[in-house]
């Protein structure tokens, strides 16, 4: 009987762990959706400002990193 109790205890722990992990994954998925929407808004705003047509990305595209 002790083996059965140990198995039930482990199962209960795993169920709790999976439930917590599910909450974390759902939270991250929601955050990804929000970030994608924000990125789309930023890209749209940049395109409206003419940023897509310009070769200049705010001076960062061809700038050497500070360690060079």
């Amino acid at each position: 009987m002790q083996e059965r109790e140990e198995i039930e205890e482990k199962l209960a722990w795993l169920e709790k762990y999976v439930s917590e992990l599910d909450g974390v994954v759902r939270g991250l998925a929601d955050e990804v959706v929000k970030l994608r929407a924000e990125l789309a808004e930023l890209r749209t705003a940049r395109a409206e400002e003419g940023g897509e047509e310009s070769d200049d990305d705010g001076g960062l595209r061809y700038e050497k990193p500070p360690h060079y």
Side-chain angles (χ1 to χ4, degrees):
M1 282 316 267
Q2 188 176 8
E3 184 178 328
R4 179 183 172 101
E5 290 174 2
E6 289 175 5
I7 291 172
E8 288 177 354
E9 183 179 332
K10 287 180 182 181
L11 180 61
W13 183 86
L14 286 172
E15 286 176 343
K16 181 180 181 245
Y17 180 74
V18 167
S19 177
E20 291 174 0
L21 186 59
D22 180 59
V24 170
V25 171
R26 287 176 185 266
L28 289 173
D30 292 342
E31 187 69 22
V32 167
V33 168
K34 289 177 189 176
L35 291 172
R36 284 184 176 172
E38 185 177 340
L39 180 61
E41 289 176 15
L42 290 171
R43 285 181 174 167
T44 301
R46 183 173 176 210
E48 289 173 356
E49 292 174 357
E52 291 290 335
E53 300 168 3
S54 174
D55 289 339
D56 185 24
D57 282 345
L60 296 178
R61 175 180 268 179
Y62 301 106
E63 186 175 314
K64 287 185 180 180
H67 62 278
Y68 278 100

